Short mmCIF file of all heavy atoms in Angstrom, two decimals:
data_model
loop_
_atom_site.label_atom_id
_atom_site.label_comp_id
_atom_site.label_asym_id
_atom_site.label_seq_id
_atom_site.Cartn_x
_atom_site.Cartn_y
_atom_site.Cartn_z
N VAL A 163 64.40 46.61 19.68
CA VAL A 163 63.70 46.99 20.91
C VAL A 163 62.20 47.01 20.59
O VAL A 163 61.79 47.56 19.56
CB VAL A 163 64.15 48.39 21.42
CG1 VAL A 163 63.45 48.73 22.73
CG2 VAL A 163 65.66 48.44 21.60
N LEU A 164 61.41 46.40 21.46
CA LEU A 164 59.96 46.36 21.27
C LEU A 164 59.29 47.14 22.40
O LEU A 164 59.30 46.70 23.55
CB LEU A 164 59.47 44.90 21.28
CG LEU A 164 60.11 43.99 20.23
CD1 LEU A 164 59.59 42.55 20.38
CD2 LEU A 164 59.83 44.50 18.81
N CYS A 165 58.76 48.31 22.09
CA CYS A 165 58.10 49.16 23.09
C CYS A 165 56.60 48.94 22.97
O CYS A 165 55.93 49.58 22.14
CB CYS A 165 58.43 50.63 22.86
SG CYS A 165 60.18 51.01 22.99
N ASP A 166 56.09 48.04 23.78
CA ASP A 166 54.67 47.70 23.71
C ASP A 166 53.92 48.57 24.71
O ASP A 166 54.02 48.37 25.93
CB ASP A 166 54.51 46.21 24.06
CG ASP A 166 53.09 45.74 23.82
OD1 ASP A 166 52.17 46.59 23.77
OD2 ASP A 166 52.90 44.52 23.69
N VAL A 167 53.16 49.54 24.21
CA VAL A 167 52.50 50.47 25.13
C VAL A 167 51.40 49.78 25.95
O VAL A 167 50.97 50.31 26.98
CB VAL A 167 51.95 51.73 24.41
CG1 VAL A 167 53.09 52.58 23.89
CG2 VAL A 167 50.99 51.38 23.29
N GLU A 168 50.96 48.59 25.52
CA GLU A 168 49.99 47.83 26.35
C GLU A 168 50.59 47.51 27.71
O GLU A 168 49.87 47.45 28.71
CB GLU A 168 49.62 46.51 25.66
CG GLU A 168 48.47 46.63 24.69
CD GLU A 168 48.20 45.33 23.95
OE1 GLU A 168 48.77 44.28 24.31
OE2 GLU A 168 47.43 45.38 22.98
N THR A 169 51.89 47.28 27.75
CA THR A 169 52.50 46.89 29.02
C THR A 169 52.49 48.05 30.03
O THR A 169 52.68 47.83 31.23
CB THR A 169 53.96 46.41 28.85
OG1 THR A 169 54.77 47.51 28.43
CG2 THR A 169 54.07 45.27 27.86
N LEU A 170 52.25 49.26 29.55
CA LEU A 170 52.22 50.42 30.47
C LEU A 170 50.91 50.48 31.24
O LEU A 170 50.80 51.19 32.24
CB LEU A 170 52.45 51.72 29.69
CG LEU A 170 53.71 51.74 28.80
CD1 LEU A 170 53.85 53.08 28.10
CD2 LEU A 170 54.96 51.43 29.62
N GLU A 171 49.92 49.70 30.77
CA GLU A 171 48.60 49.73 31.42
C GLU A 171 48.65 49.18 32.85
O GLU A 171 47.83 49.53 33.67
CB GLU A 171 47.57 48.92 30.60
CG GLU A 171 47.20 49.59 29.29
CD GLU A 171 46.49 48.64 28.33
OE1 GLU A 171 46.11 47.53 28.74
OE2 GLU A 171 46.35 49.03 27.16
N THR A 172 49.62 48.31 33.12
CA THR A 172 49.67 47.70 34.46
C THR A 172 50.67 48.42 35.37
O THR A 172 50.90 47.98 36.50
CB THR A 172 50.10 46.21 34.36
OG1 THR A 172 51.31 46.14 33.62
CG2 THR A 172 49.03 45.37 33.70
N LEU A 173 51.27 49.50 34.89
CA LEU A 173 52.25 50.19 35.73
C LEU A 173 51.56 50.87 36.91
O LEU A 173 50.54 51.53 36.74
CB LEU A 173 52.95 51.30 34.93
CG LEU A 173 54.13 50.94 34.06
CD1 LEU A 173 54.72 52.22 33.48
CD2 LEU A 173 55.18 50.17 34.83
N PRO A 174 52.12 50.75 38.12
CA PRO A 174 51.57 51.54 39.23
C PRO A 174 51.64 53.03 38.87
O PRO A 174 52.59 53.47 38.20
CB PRO A 174 52.53 51.22 40.39
CG PRO A 174 53.23 49.96 39.99
CD PRO A 174 53.26 49.93 38.49
N PRO A 175 50.63 53.82 39.28
CA PRO A 175 50.58 55.23 38.87
C PRO A 175 51.88 55.99 39.15
O PRO A 175 52.33 56.80 38.34
CB PRO A 175 49.42 55.81 39.69
CG PRO A 175 48.57 54.62 40.03
CD PRO A 175 49.47 53.42 40.09
N ARG A 176 52.50 55.71 40.29
CA ARG A 176 53.73 56.46 40.62
C ARG A 176 54.85 56.12 39.64
O ARG A 176 55.66 56.98 39.27
CB ARG A 176 54.13 56.16 42.06
CG ARG A 176 55.27 57.03 42.50
CD ARG A 176 55.58 56.91 43.95
NE ARG A 176 56.78 57.67 44.26
CZ ARG A 176 57.47 57.56 45.36
NH1 ARG A 176 57.07 56.74 46.33
NH2 ARG A 176 58.57 58.28 45.54
N GLU A 177 54.91 54.85 39.25
CA GLU A 177 55.94 54.41 38.29
C GLU A 177 55.71 55.09 36.93
O GLU A 177 56.65 55.52 36.26
CB GLU A 177 55.86 52.89 38.16
CG GLU A 177 56.97 52.25 37.36
CD GLU A 177 58.33 52.47 38.01
OE1 GLU A 177 58.47 52.27 39.24
OE2 GLU A 177 59.24 52.86 37.27
N TYR A 178 54.43 55.21 36.56
CA TYR A 178 54.10 55.86 35.29
C TYR A 178 54.50 57.35 35.34
O TYR A 178 55.12 57.88 34.41
CB TYR A 178 52.60 55.71 35.02
CG TYR A 178 52.19 56.25 33.68
CD1 TYR A 178 52.41 55.51 32.53
CD2 TYR A 178 51.62 57.52 33.57
CE1 TYR A 178 52.06 56.02 31.28
CE2 TYR A 178 51.26 58.03 32.34
CZ TYR A 178 51.49 57.28 31.20
OH TYR A 178 51.16 57.79 29.97
N ARG A 179 54.15 57.99 36.45
CA ARG A 179 54.51 59.42 36.58
C ARG A 179 56.02 59.61 36.54
O ARG A 179 56.52 60.58 36.00
CB ARG A 179 53.96 59.98 37.90
CG ARG A 179 52.48 60.26 37.89
CD ARG A 179 52.08 61.24 38.98
NE ARG A 179 52.50 60.83 40.30
CZ ARG A 179 51.82 59.99 41.09
NH1 ARG A 179 50.68 59.48 40.68
NH2 ARG A 179 52.27 59.67 42.29
N SER A 180 56.74 58.66 37.13
CA SER A 180 58.20 58.74 37.11
C SER A 180 58.69 58.73 35.65
O SER A 180 59.59 59.48 35.28
CB SER A 180 58.79 57.57 37.91
OG SER A 180 60.16 57.45 37.67
N GLY A 181 58.08 57.89 34.82
CA GLY A 181 58.44 57.87 33.39
C GLY A 181 58.20 59.21 32.73
O GLY A 181 58.95 59.64 31.84
N LEU A 182 57.15 59.90 33.19
CA LEU A 182 56.86 61.22 32.60
C LEU A 182 57.98 62.21 32.92
O LEU A 182 58.24 63.14 32.15
CB LEU A 182 55.52 61.75 33.13
CG LEU A 182 54.27 60.98 32.68
CD1 LEU A 182 53.02 61.57 33.33
CD2 LEU A 182 54.12 61.00 31.16
N GLY A 183 58.67 62.02 34.06
CA GLY A 183 59.80 62.89 34.41
C GLY A 183 60.91 62.76 33.38
O GLY A 183 61.54 63.75 32.97
N GLU A 184 61.16 61.54 32.94
CA GLU A 184 62.18 61.32 31.91
C GLU A 184 61.68 61.86 30.57
O GLU A 184 62.44 62.43 29.78
CB GLU A 184 62.49 59.82 31.81
CG GLU A 184 63.72 59.46 31.03
CD GLU A 184 65.04 59.84 31.71
OE1 GLU A 184 65.26 59.48 32.86
OE2 GLU A 184 65.86 60.51 31.04
N MET A 185 60.38 61.72 30.34
CA MET A 185 59.80 62.23 29.10
C MET A 185 59.91 63.76 29.05
O MET A 185 60.18 64.34 27.99
CB MET A 185 58.34 61.80 29.02
CG MET A 185 57.79 61.80 27.63
SD MET A 185 56.07 61.25 27.68
CE MET A 185 56.16 59.83 26.64
N ALA A 186 59.72 64.41 30.21
CA ALA A 186 59.79 65.87 30.26
C ALA A 186 61.15 66.37 29.77
O ALA A 186 61.25 67.42 29.13
CB ALA A 186 59.54 66.35 31.69
N LYS A 187 62.18 65.59 30.05
CA LYS A 187 63.53 65.96 29.60
C LYS A 187 63.57 66.22 28.09
O LYS A 187 64.26 67.13 27.62
CB LYS A 187 64.49 64.83 29.97
CG LYS A 187 65.87 64.94 29.43
CD LYS A 187 66.64 63.64 29.59
CE LYS A 187 66.31 62.64 28.52
NZ LYS A 187 67.06 61.37 28.64
N TYR A 188 62.80 65.40 27.34
CA TYR A 188 62.84 65.53 25.88
C TYR A 188 62.28 66.86 25.40
O TYR A 188 62.63 67.35 24.33
CB TYR A 188 62.11 64.37 25.20
CG TYR A 188 62.91 63.08 25.26
CD1 TYR A 188 62.66 62.12 26.23
CD2 TYR A 188 63.94 62.84 24.35
CE1 TYR A 188 63.39 60.95 26.30
CE2 TYR A 188 64.69 61.68 24.42
CZ TYR A 188 64.41 60.73 25.39
OH TYR A 188 65.15 59.59 25.45
N ALA A 189 61.39 67.45 26.20
CA ALA A 189 60.86 68.76 25.81
C ALA A 189 61.99 69.78 25.75
O ALA A 189 62.02 70.66 24.89
CB ALA A 189 59.80 69.19 26.81
N PHE A 190 62.97 69.64 26.66
CA PHE A 190 64.11 70.58 26.67
C PHE A 190 65.12 70.24 25.58
O PHE A 190 66.03 71.00 25.32
CB PHE A 190 64.78 70.57 28.05
CG PHE A 190 63.85 70.98 29.15
CD1 PHE A 190 63.34 70.04 30.03
CD2 PHE A 190 63.45 72.30 29.26
CE1 PHE A 190 62.46 70.42 31.03
CE2 PHE A 190 62.56 72.69 30.27
CZ PHE A 190 62.06 71.74 31.15
N LEU A 191 64.96 69.07 24.98
CA LEU A 191 65.84 68.68 23.86
C LEU A 191 65.15 68.97 22.53
O LEU A 191 65.59 68.51 21.49
CB LEU A 191 66.19 67.19 23.97
CG LEU A 191 67.10 66.85 25.15
CD1 LEU A 191 67.09 65.34 25.43
CD2 LEU A 191 68.53 67.28 24.87
N GLY A 192 64.01 69.69 22.60
CA GLY A 192 63.39 70.16 21.36
C GLY A 192 62.21 69.36 20.87
O GLY A 192 61.68 69.64 19.79
#
Side-chain angles (χ1 to χ4, degrees):
V163 183
L164 302 177
C165 298
D166 188 340
V167 293
E168 273 175 10
T169 67
L170 307 181
E171 289 165 11
T172 53
L173 276 185
R176 187 172 174 195
E177 189 63 47
Y178 185 79
R179 284 200 305 276
S180 168
L182 292 177
E184 193 70 53
M185 202 180 240
K187 172 192 81 179
Y188 286 98
F190 300 106
L191 291 164

